[in-house]
Amino acid sequence: MISVEQALDKILNYVDVLEDEQSPILDCLGQVLAEDVYSSINVPPLDNSAMDGYAVQSRDTRGASKQSPRFLRVIDTVSAGSIAGCEVEPGTAVRIMTGAPIPKGADSVVRFEDTDETQRQGSSTEIGILGEAEAGLNIRRAGEDITQGSIVLSQGAVLRPSEVGVLASLGRTTVRVIRRPTVAILTTGDELVDINQPLPAGKIYDSNTYSLAALIRRYGGIPKILGIALDSEDSVVARLRRGLDADMLITTGGVSAGDYDVVKDVLAKQGEIAFWTVRMKPGKPLAFGTIKGVSKAGIARNIPHLGLPGNPVSSMVTFELFVRPAILKMMGKKNLTKPTIEAIVENSVVNSDRRRIFARVLVEKRSGQYFARLTGPQGSGILTSMTLANGLVIIPEDKAGVVAGDVVQVMMLDWREE
Ligand code: AMP
Ligand code: MG
């Protein structure tokens, strides 16, 4: 048996960072930037007002107070998106809206609240300033967010909504990113029926295709669904063929020692394959290897293949541990691990055969401390236990178990709102 780390190391050795491509900014969420982004403009392009108020010469406000306002002549109004037609000269003011460029001659903006604006009826040609304004007050400087010519985002940055917004503020429609991997999924089993079919006696719906496709999407890949193969070599080979242009292939089922576990025979013929028993639970049987395929450009190459166990929980847990890091590596990401926290476990778990146990738990924070409670029966066919869980408590292989009250490590699958 090999350890989880050994298995992951071997898998990651077989996957490389993919090529980059030019892509519309909104399609790039979660992808890694493959260029340094410089700004060809100042953001904001011009000095502009941070408030609704009056653009003035600060000198004119000296000595102003509520008791003794300074009165200025209002010569224009300027709103966001337009340029004032006249210049602010001593004794004058321009009514200005947030975001509007500062008119020539003005060096500060007095907000409405510090004027007698509300006491005036209708539009007035005069405004009373009720306090002193320093030069620069309520002015956002040109380039204060982004200076023309500066580097704004660096190669390697992961694009989040804020980065997408910054790209838009530069007027960029597309950007170079490392492309998303296509991951083909093949499920196997005579008992499986696709979800758009009636369910005959003795059959079950194929859930793995959908849970795994959702995981692939969640972590940034593009799922390619190859459908359900029967437990026969011909059926597996026929379906497999349609996935040979993918960046990675995952199969579920057919890798244990059962009579109908043909996936391993097919894969042994189609490429190179290793069967591992990984010291973990769930998910002991795992197949890994490469399959001869062709790239989208028609070039022969080996596609990494991961044969996950068929049990619905095992396939999801092994995906999180082995497929997710491979997808992230292909996307050019550096941090490949899920966040792990310390929590107090609220149930006892026995580790009878000294494998690393990943038990489904619901983690909650109470009085500043994390607690982890088992979600109920832990059978690897009980997929609803995954819907109740937000983490996997890790019981190390060298421990006989944990008892309620022990401090444990929990790999977080999701952060729920606390
Ligand atoms: P296997 O690894 O093929 O022996 O399958 C182990 C268990 O998982 C069996 O009970 C299968 O019926 C079940 N199983 C396998 N593939 C799927 C699937 N795609 N969806 C739901 N259950 C599955
Ligand atoms: Mg099977």
Side-chain angles (χ1 to χ4, degrees), residues 188-189 191 231 253-254 261:
T188 66
E191 74 279 31
D231 289 316
D261 292 325

Side-chain angles (χ1 to χ4, degrees), residues 29-211:
L29 200 59
Q31 281 177 276
V32 172
L33 197 58
E35 61 169 313
D36 289 332
V37 174
Y38 290 87
S39 179
S40 59
I41 55 170
N42 273 325
V43 180
L46 299 171
D47 290 357
N48 68 88
S49 179
M51 290 283 174
D52 294 333
Y54 286 84
V56 300
Q57 294 198 345
S58 56
R59 274 195 308 261
D60 281 343
T61 68
R62 262 184 224 141
S65 69
K66 274 189 188 140
Q67 292 72 34
S68 121
R70 289 282 178 275
F71 293 99
L72 302 174
R73 192 158 54 86
V74 180
I75 53 169
D76 198 2
T77 292
V78 60
S79 53
S82 48
I83 303 276
C86 42
E87 200 172 321
V88 174
E89 286 172 344
T92 68
V94 165
R95 202 165 176 269
I96 190 165
M97 301 303 133
T98 305
I102 303 294
K104 276 208 190 89
D107 66 355
S108 70
V109 172
V110 180
R111 42 182 206 148
F112 284 160
E113 295 88 324
D114 299 325
T115 68
D116 64 2
E117 154 118 0
T118 50
Q119 291 139 36
R120 291 172 184 273
Q121 247 91 68
S123 71
S124 171
T125 56
E126 190 188 57
I127 190 72
I129 306 293
L130 308 181
E132 293 195 348
E134 283 165 30
L137 182 72
N138 295 326
I139 294 181
R140 303 172 181 150
R141 293 292 172 201
E144 76 171 16
D145 186 0
I146 298 164
T147 320
Q148 186 170 14
S150 67
I151 183 161
V152 187
L153 299 172
S154 302
Q155 188 170 346
V158 177
L159 299 180
R160 299 167 302 165
S162 50
E163 281 78 17
V164 173
V166 162
L167 289 165
S169 73
L170 303 177
R172 291 284 301 259
T173 56
T174 63
V175 71
R176 281 208 89 73
V177 286
I178 298 172
R179 73 173 174 85
R180 300 178 184 279
T182 299
V183 182
I185 314 164
L186 178 69
T187 49
T188 66
D190 287 347
E191 74 279 31
L192 301 177
V193 172
D194 195 9
I195 52 174
N196 55 12
Q197 300 294 319
L199 192 65
K203 308 281 183 185
I204 57 170
Y205 281 123
D206 164 25
S207 60
N208 290 352
T209 289
Y210 295 92
S211 54

Side-chain angles (χ1 to χ4, degrees), residues 314-334:
S314 313
S315 66
M316 287 193 79
V317 171
T318 49
F319 184 103
E320 294 278 9
L321 288 169
F322 304 116
V323 185
R324 176 182 181 273
I327 289 177
L328 297 186
K329 182 176 177 187
M330 285 190 271
M331 292 182 72
K333 302 213 178 174
K334 296 284 182 275

